[in-house]
Amino acid sequence: EVQLVESGGGLVQPGGSLRLSCTASGFAFDNYAMGWFRQAPGKEREGIACIWWSGSSTYYTDSVKGRFTISRDNAKNTLYLQMNSLKPEDTAMYYCAACVRSVSGSVLPDYNFAYWGQGTQVTVSS
């Protein structure tokens, strides 16, 4: 059974930091590019970061470049997202899933891998 379990969310003040984790099981984690996605209330889900299966390449949406860092540990089947300089507009439910990069550079879900975790809530507020 494929499982993706996100953790590490919480309430943080603007300018603060959080580190999200996504533990994967039930599939060959190191065969997939993996990414982070987020969805704020009333908004569509957006892809924010994607990392190649080997970790050799990473891609970010413009709104998080320079603030967020995606990484992975294939030995632990775990994906990470280090989030620094958090802003209120980063408030959302965060999910991990397999990802692809579009021709235009956007981070998209890999629709050949139709699995999502339950998400972890990140709230940035003073």
Side-chain angles (χ1 to χ4, degrees):
E1 179 188 5
V2 172
Q3 285 194 317
L4 296 167
V5 181
E6 300 94 341
S7 62
L11 173 64
V12 63
Q13 293 187 339
S17 298
L18 284 174
R19 189 193 196 203
L20 306 184
S21 298
C22 169
T23 302
S25 61
F27 68 101
F29 179 75
D30 55 1
N31 281 359
Y32 290 87
M34 295 296 297
W36 287 96
F37 301 80
R38 67 184 181 186
Q39 187 167 21
K43 294 188 176 181
E44 291 187 356
R45 183 176 57 202
E46 65 169 334
I48 59 172
C50 183
I51 184 168
W52 250 219
W53 64 272
S54 63
S56 59
S57 295
T58 57
Y59 304 95
Y60 300 91
T61 193
D62 286 345
S63 61
V64 307
K65 278 181 185 176
R67 300 188 299 122
F68 291 9
T69 302
I70 188 171
S71 62
R72 65 191 296 162
D73 185 337
N74 287 342
K76 295 182 178 180
N77 283 2
T78 302
L79 180 73
Y80 302 100
L81 186 69
Q82 178 66 43
M83 305 187 296
N84 298 328
S85 302
L86 282 160
K87 304 175 181 180
E89 51 264 43
D90 295 317
T91 295
M93 187 72 79
Y94 283 71
Y95 303 89
C96 67
C99 60
V100 295
R101 185 168 176 256
S102 74
V103 172
S104 63
S106 299
V107 174
L108 301 174
D110 182 348
Y111 292 106
N112 293 314
F113 184 94
Y115 299 99
W116 294 87
Q118 83 290 344
T120 186
Q121 177 68 38
V122 172
T123 303
V124 185
S125 175
S126 55

